[in-house]
Amino acid sequence: MACMNPDGELTESARKILTAMERPILLSQVAANTGLPLYRIRSASRELAEAGFAAEAGGEWQVTGVGMAAIRKGGNAA
């Protein structure tokens, strides 16, 4: 699952996932809140973490400041 469109903006799925991560949350809860399958949430969370948009601590995930900025800017982190 690609989290970024070719134009550098977040995909709709990535935006939903990051929005669900506004507070520390388990990936299973992200799946329940977004309606996306857990396997997609796991894959996307790794990709989002590599891009600096999300971080994991103690099993819970949260959107980073960079991720919040990407959501506010329409998905483009640059």
Side-chain angles (χ1 to χ4, degrees):
M1 168 184 162
C3 290
M4 301 293 281
N5 291 321
D7 61 3
E9 297 210 0
L10 291 172
T11 63
E12 187 60 32
S13 295
R15 187 179 312 287
K16 285 181 186 179
I17 292 166
L18 289 174
T19 300
M21 292 179 174
E22 285 188 36
R23 296 184 182 192
I25 190 170
L26 297 171
L27 294 183
S28 59
Q29 294 171 312
V30 174
N33 291 351
T34 62
L36 297 169
L38 183 56
Y39 75 91
R40 288 186 65 195
I41 300 298
R42 287 183 180 135
S43 173
S45 63
R46 287 189 298 269
E47 187 177 331
L48 291 166
E50 287 176 14
F53 295 140
E56 183 268 336
E60 294 184 320
W61 286 79
Q62 189 166 10
V63 65
T64 64
V66 173
M68 287 301 295
I71 292 170
R72 283 190 220 110
K73 287 185 174 186
N76 192 334

